[in-house]
């Protein structure tokens, strides 16, 4: 599979989205919570509390939508500042009630528009990066599809970052890269190779801890082992004291 | 010049870019070397030397020209007080990105600097502070791993020494040529800013034209106090990207410093001529004690 095939797979319309992961892993236990308490509820970000092995966990996800109607409704998974602020509000809540945070990332990037700029897209992302770095509870981020730049990183300053086999994570879209580099946005295949955005490349670069097997459909049994893995990881992270956890998180990003 | 050089001009641009020849770049100064400079706003001709004496601000219409990092330091910190950190640190082509090695070489030649940021320790109005100044002449101030490392080290030093930090930002964003590792600098620098902040120390950012992308979405927007130069372009997405996304023209002055002030994302727009004084006041208000360099002057004031 070439890097560009990987990009295509990560963006495929029939790929399970965050809602599928939440439903398969947490079943009926998930209670969705809305709004950033400042401006609005951003539907590109889903957040709430669920139960994992009898223990509460805060779940935050970038959701692209599963059909055209949902995609339009969720702005194709491109969050506005209020989406990132909702995410941060729920993370702070998780910290207060000592429950771990699980993030699912699937976005082509933070939204680029007038409203997003007026309400401080850059500031919202920056605040998340800063606050997540010292959030006193374990954070695990899983890239399930696209991981577009700062808009993805704003949910990925975590103790561990995992990627689905065919997920991608990049500083810029291959199209954007091609148009800057060759003034030709159709050279996406070449750009995809250059950017080192596949899970294998990123594992080699030490940017992620784990590559997760792809569930091909929403009925896949892969979700079961994935759930087990998440539970084990939180148990491991919760075993260390807060100072150690935060020092490790700082050094995880300090090394780049 | 041999004949092959002439034919190079007939080739597509990307072919030209692949070449190692940097002679043309060397001869292109960032600031026009001519005697006269035309102001892009009021269109009036300004004597180059007058412009320099006026801190690169147009004497007719107050347009703030972009300014090189060294000159910025010169007009901001007390004379002779600057001690540079990590001056020799410089980027390499870490993910073997096409053409990056040549671009780095050109950036070094163009700017006379090793990276897109200069960091160090200095005194401003007698107050000791750590300072970082980004450089638009070096790959448009893009943030690569070395940029992030220098800024992180500056913050870590300031935290240890209990010093404030002042950062002048100018950046097109994360440096695409370093792939995901440039994105990681956003998290790395933010971590260092947070530790500095948690230690109760002051961080002032000064946004200058332009500050966009990954720098806006990290340390540029993390200051306790965020100042900006007049009319600076500040945003997350660049105006062209937004216009392409929403398929409409943007309103005039959208993403200007004044626009951000109105929307509540900038504390104060400060003209270049008042910047040093403003920074000094803020440092003193946060507990810095100015060290008088010239004792005679002090005594003279008292008489």
């Amino acid at each position: 599979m070439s890097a560009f095939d990987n990009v295509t797979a990560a963006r495929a319309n029939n790929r399970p989205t965050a809602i599928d992961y939440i439903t398969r892993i947490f079943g009926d236990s998930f209670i969705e919570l809305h709004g950033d308490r400042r401006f609005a509820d951003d539907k590109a970000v889903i957040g709430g509390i669920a139960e994992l092995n009898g223990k509460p966990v805060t779940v935050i996800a970038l959701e692209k939508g599963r059909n055209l109607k949902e995609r339009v409704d969720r702005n194709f998974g491109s969050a506005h500042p209020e989406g990132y602020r909702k995410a941060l509000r729920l993370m702070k809540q998780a910290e207060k009630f000592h429950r771990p945070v699980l993030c699912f990332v699937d976005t082509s990037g933070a939204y680029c528009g007038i409203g997003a700029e007026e309400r401080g897209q850059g500031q919202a992302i920056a605040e998340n990066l800063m606050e997540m770095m010292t959030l006193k509870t374990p954070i695990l981020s899983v890239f399930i599809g696209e991981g577009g730049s700062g808009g993805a990183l704003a949910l990925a300053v975590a103790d561990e970052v995992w990627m689905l086999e065919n997920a991608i994570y990049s500083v810029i879209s291959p199209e954007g890269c091609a148009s800057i580099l060759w003034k030709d946005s159709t050279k996406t295949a070449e750009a995809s190779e250059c950017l080192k955005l596949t899970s294998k490349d990123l594992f080699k670069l030490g940017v992620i801890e784990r590559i997760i097997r792809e569930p091909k459909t929403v009925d896949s049994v892969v979700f079961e082992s994935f759930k087990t893995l998440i539970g084990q990881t939180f148990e491991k992270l919760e075993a260390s004291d807060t100072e150690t956890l935060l020092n490790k998180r700082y050094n995880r990003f300090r090394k780049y | 010049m041999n004949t092959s050089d002439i034919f190079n001009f007939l080739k597509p641009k990307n072919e030209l870019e692949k070449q190692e020849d940097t002679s043309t770049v060397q001869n292109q100064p960032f600031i026009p070397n001519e005697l006269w400079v035309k102001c892009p706003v009021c269109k009036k001709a300004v004597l180059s030397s007058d412009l320099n004496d006026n801190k690169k601000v147009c004497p007719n219409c107050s347009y703030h020209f972009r300014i090189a990092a060294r000159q910025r330091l010169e007009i901001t910190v007390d004379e002779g007080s600057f001690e540079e950190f990590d001056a020799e640190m410089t980027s390499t082509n870490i993910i073997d990105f096409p053409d990056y090695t040549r671009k780095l070489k050109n950036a070094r030649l163009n700017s006379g600097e090793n990276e897109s940021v200069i960091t160090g320790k200095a005194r401003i109005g007698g107050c000791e502070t750590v300072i970082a100044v980004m450089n638009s002449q070096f790959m448009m101030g893009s943030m690569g791993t070395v940029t992030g490392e220098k800024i992180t080290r500056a913050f870590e030093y300031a935290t240890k020494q209990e010093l404030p930090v002042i950062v002048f930002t100018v950046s097109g964003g994360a440096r695409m040529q370093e792939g995901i590792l440039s994105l990681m600098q956003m998290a790395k620098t933010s971590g260092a800013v947070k530790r500095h902040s948690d230690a109760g120390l002051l961080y002032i950012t000064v946004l200058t034209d332009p500050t966009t992308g990954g720098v806006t979405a990290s340390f540029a927007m993390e200051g306790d106090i965020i100042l900006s130069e007049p009319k600076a372009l500040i945003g997350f997405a660049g105006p062209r990207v937004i216009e392409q996304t929403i398929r409409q023209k943007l309103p005039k002055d959208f993403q200007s410093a004044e626009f951000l002030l109105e929307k509540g994302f900038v504390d104060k727009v400060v003209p270049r001529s008042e910047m040093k004084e403003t920074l000094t006041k803020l440092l003193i208000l946060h507990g810095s004690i100015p060290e008088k360099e010239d004792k005679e002057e002090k005594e003279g004031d008292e008489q």
Side-chain angles (χ1 to χ4, degrees), chain A residues 9-12 15-22 25 61-64 103-107 141-147 162-168 212 214-215 223 226:
Chain A
R11 291 171 175 173
R15 207 178 158 77
T17 68
I19 289 181
D20 299 316
Y21 284 84
I22 293 170
I25 294 167
L62 284 155
E63 172 60 43
K64 281 186 172 179
C103 295
F104 291 112
V105 179
D106 190 10
T107 182
S141 291
V142 187
F143 284 61
I144 56 171
E146 269 188 285
W162 301 351
M163 276 174 87
L164 270 285
E165 228 174 298
N166 293 338
I168 56 169
I212 306 291
E214 292 272 334
F223 285 106
F226 186 28

Side-chain angles (χ1 to χ4, degrees), chain A residues 20-46:
Chain A
D20 299 316
Y21 284 84
I22 293 170
T23 311
R24 284 303 313 272
I25 294 167
F26 303 107
D28 291 338
S29 78
F30 179 69
I31 300 172
E32 190 175 355
L33 304 172
H34 294 272
D36 69 343
R37 299 292 189 272
R38 284 166 170 80
F39 181 76
D41 183 47
D42 187 339
K43 289 181 184 158
V45 177
I46 292 178

Side-chain angles (χ1 to χ4, degrees), chain A residues 117 134 247 250 254 256, chain B residues 149 156 188 194-195 237 255:
Chain A
E117 293 292 324
T134 53
N247 276 334
Y250 184 86
R254 182 67 187 85
Y256 300 121
Chain B
E149 181 66 22
E156 286 177 339
K188 183 168 96 179
K194 186 66 163 60
R195 286 194 164 183
Q255 299 183 307

Side-chain angles (χ1 to χ4, degrees), chain B residues 146-159:
Chain B
V146 172
T147 318
E149 181 66 22
K150 285 177 81 171
I151 288 171
T152 302
R153 286 186 185 196
F155 271 96
E156 286 177 339
Y157 176 86
T159 307

